[in-house]
Amino acid sequence: MNAAKIFVNLPVADVARSTSFFTALGFAPRPEYSNDEVAGIAICDGINALLVQWELFGTFTNRAVADAAQVTEVGLALEVESRERVDEIADAAIAAGAEKYEEVDDEVMYSRGFYDLDGHLWHALVMKAPA
């Protein structure tokens, strides 16, 4: 399979505020994909978020744009290297204004969820090693 990059486009109310939120979680800005209406954020190698001003995002589709504060269209899950990194991301998100989604899930994986500033659902997780 050829190497690919993923750009998850997320509608946001305030690009600067959302950029500050995601950089507080430890993700790096991508200035080459940014302007006044869009901010690129590197989640990890090959995976990026494009934080798109709500009005501009609406021009990307001929369908209504879901208001993530009211409905959940997709859940975004980030598998990371350790429980400590899960806690770092979730704690930083809550400190930066996210809404906690769930307590720790520790059955199949260690996971913590939150809604970002615009209501998008995220989970940070690490899978348990097979028995």
Side-chain angles (χ1 to χ4, degrees):
M1 176 183 269
N2 294 332
K5 292 183 181 178
I6 294 175
F7 290 86
V8 177
N9 292 264
L10 299 172
V12 300
D14 184 325
V15 171
R17 182 173 176 243
S18 292
T19 300
S20 294
F21 174 82
F22 283 100
T23 56
L25 303 185
F27 304 128
R30 297 287 306 265
E32 68 273 28
Y33 297 118
S34 303
N35 60 35
D36 291 341
E37 296 180 295
V38 178
I41 301 290
I43 303 298
C44 65
D45 289 341
I47 301 177
N48 301 273
L50 292 179
L51 310 174
V52 182
Q53 189 68 39
W54 186 267
E55 295 77 13
L56 177 61
F57 190 93
T59 69
F60 294 177
T61 180
N62 59 1
R63 295 183 178 182
V65 177
D67 180 354
Q70 301 298 317
V71 298
T72 300
E73 183 176 13
V74 66
L76 303 159
L78 304 173
E79 184 177 8
V80 297
E81 66 278 2
S82 67
R83 287 173 173 252
E84 293 77 21
R85 182 65 180 134
V86 168
D87 289 337
E88 286 172 10
I89 291 171
D91 291 343
I94 301 304
E99 176 188 343
K100 182 169 52 170
Y101 167 66
E102 66 181 353
E103 296 296 324
V104 173
D105 175 2
D106 202 13
E107 273 189 51
V108 176
M109 68 190 95
Y110 181 76
S111 171
R112 292 179 60 194
F114 59 89
Y115 293 102
D116 69 21
L117 302 179
D118 292 282
H120 304 291
L121 176 60
W122 293 83
H123 292 271
L125 62 96
V126 62
M127 298 301 288
K128 285 188 172 182

